[in-house]
Amino acid sequence: MKILVTGGAGFIGSHLVDRLMEEGHEVRVLDDLSAGDMKNVERWLGNGNFEFIKGDMRDPEIVRKSIRGVDAVFHLAANPEVRIGSQSPQLLYETNVLITYNLLEAMRKEGVKILTFTSSSTVYGDAKKLPTPEDYAPLEPISVYGGAKLAAEALISGYAHTFGFRALVFRLANIIGERSNHGVIYDFINKLRRNPEELEILGDGTQRKSYLHVSDTVEGMLHIFEHFRKGGRTFDVYNLGNEDWITVTEIAELVSEAMGLRPKFRFTGGVDGGRGWKGDVKIMLLSIEKAKETGWRPRMNSYEAVRRTLRELLKSV
């Protein structure tokens, strides 16, 4: 297939590009490099099956130019930072909702018939049912980031049903691994390199969430994409996460151990009952039963994913 990957120089996107290229697809990447890095895809430069377009998806013409001639789109471009929602809601709207609208319009005009979108567990908000299944309701995001992801999902569903193409949505748990440049593990490593004696931990440390390694994430996306392609649904949603979870304090202990340090932990206390920041979902565990029914399951649990990510990031960060 000829596939467009938006955000393909980013953390998850570049790992997806690697797999698609290794499988022999033609891959075109559209990325403005605001969160991505050319180093993540440089191994493919000069390969006849690879094309890179630097461009901002807020420009409809760039999006339409990028989508011409492709068979499918994997839409991963977004601002990945949940916390920015309290600082710049407009930027979150533009880099999640507006760019998705521009992509959908380009798909409609160019006749592209299949879209895969990476959404987020944050669309569930403080779910009262754990593990949380895809049909949980009401969806009540507590961050602008989660609201923007849910708005993008709704637009995608509306366009797919109205204009006759098919769309697959993945609601992702916390994705970690090599090339990540944000998130709690990355932050802890950098904080301890600055001050090995003390580690600031946002919130009360009891935040408990599911973590999935990026290799398992990409494997799940491509496996379920093939399952979806062979089916007949216009629009479908799958959670991708792990069946266990881990606290922020436990992650801090693993990071400290991996770095050979014994820092004093200083908890900020957080907001709204120990959250790291306003809009932080304190407890998250996704049901992955639907994904498992397709034959996929993660190879690593949350603890194993954190340990592997530590090995990877300590080599590169």
Side-chain angles (χ1 to χ4, degrees):
M1 298 178 73
K2 186 163 189 174
I3 297 171
L4 172 67
V5 180
T6 73
F11 165 43
I12 303 173
S14 63
H15 285 277
L16 176 64
V17 167
D18 286 348
R19 277 294 304 274
L20 292 171
M21 288 294 294
E22 286 160 5
E23 291 180 4
H25 298 284
E26 290 183 60
V27 178
R28 179 182 293 158
V29 167
L30 172 60
D31 201 307
D32 66 0
L33 300 179
S34 59
D37 192 321
M38 281 302 296
K39 288 189 296 185
N40 293 338
V41 293
E42 65 183 359
R43 64 181 286 203
W44 303 115
L45 296 175
N47 187 302
N49 282 342
F50 181 78
E51 180 183 0
F52 181 85
I53 297 174
K54 183 180 178 184
D56 189 328
M57 290 186 69
R58 289 174 287 190
D59 182 340
E61 284 308 308
I62 286 174
V63 178
R64 190 162 182 188
K65 171 189 169 187
S66 300
I67 210 169
R68 285 192 183 120
V70 304
D71 303 306
V73 178
F74 281 79
H75 179 33
L76 286 79
N79 191 309
E81 183 55 73
V82 178
R83 279 177 283 182
I84 202 173
S86 61
Q87 303 156 26
S88 179
Q90 180 177 342
L91 181 60
L92 267 179
Y93 163 74
E94 290 175 358
T95 56
N96 285 279
V97 185
L98 177 61
I99 67 170
T100 300
Y101 165 75
N102 286 343
L103 178 65
L104 291 167
E105 274 292 277
M107 288 182 66
R108 178 176 72 84
K109 291 171 180 174
E110 295 295 327
V112 179
K113 292 301 184 183
I114 192 160
L115 169 68
T116 299
F117 174 61
T118 48
S119 186
S120 164
S121 63
T122 58
V123 301
Y124 294 114
D126 286 327
K128 294 179 176 63
K129 182 174 182 179
L130 297 171
T132 310
E134 290 85 352
D135 59 2
Y136 174 83
L139 296 178
E140 193 176 335
I142 63 169
S143 63
V144 178
Y145 176 87
K149 283 294 190 182
L150 185 55
E153 283 190 25
L155 266 179
I156 289 167
S157 177
Y159 263 76
H161 284 97
T162 304
F163 298 112
F165 61 82
R166 305 178 65 208
L168 173 62
V169 169
F170 290 110
R171 292 176 180 158
L172 303 180
N174 289 22
I175 310 305
I176 55 177
E178 188 178 7
R179 302 178 195 162
S180 59
N181 58 8
H182 71 288
V184 66
I185 301 172
Y186 181 88
D187 288 345
F188 281 172
I189 289 172
N190 284 319
K191 283 178 177 178
L192 285 172
R193 283 192 168 151
R194 288 194 298 269
N195 181 4
E197 304 298 320
E198 181 180 87
L199 178 60
E200 179 194 61
I201 299 174
L202 301 180
D204 63 8
T206 65
Q207 304 98 304
R208 183 180 294 271
K209 304 180 187 185
S210 166
Y211 290 79
L212 186 67
H213 194 268
V214 66
S215 60
D216 279 331
T217 308
V218 169
E219 185 75 32
M221 288 174 63
L222 292 177
H223 176 85
I224 294 169
F225 174 72
E226 285 304 314
H227 176 82
F228 176 74
R229 271 212 312 154
K230 293 169 185 172
R233 291 184 64 92
T234 297
F235 177 84
D236 211 350
V237 179
Y238 284 84
N239 290 335
L240 285 183
N242 240 311
E243 294 180 289
D244 67 334
W245 47 6
I246 185 170
T247 68
V248 169
T249 299
E250 288 169 325
I251 292 174
E253 290 167 349
L254 290 172
V255 174
S256 302
E257 178 188 340
M259 296 179 73
L261 301 172
R262 298 185 67 182
K264 176 186 175 184
F265 291 170
R266 180 171 61 82
F267 299 93
T268 66
V271 298
D272 297 343
R275 303 172 194 270
W277 56 86
K278 193 80 173 173
D280 178 27
V281 176
K282 193 171 183 188
I283 297 175
M284 180 272 288
L285 184 66
L286 300 178
S287 168
I288 58 169
E289 291 306 309
K290 184 176 175 181
K292 284 166 61 180
E293 286 170 8
T294 71
W296 171 83
R297 65 184 313 124
R299 291 187 171 90
M300 288 168 266
N301 63 27
S302 292
Y303 286 83
E304 291 164 339
V306 169
R307 287 192 177 97
R308 176 164 164 184
T309 297
L310 276 167
R311 291 195 300 271
E312 292 168 342
L313 292 187
L314 285 171
K315 289 178 186 174
S316 59
V317 172

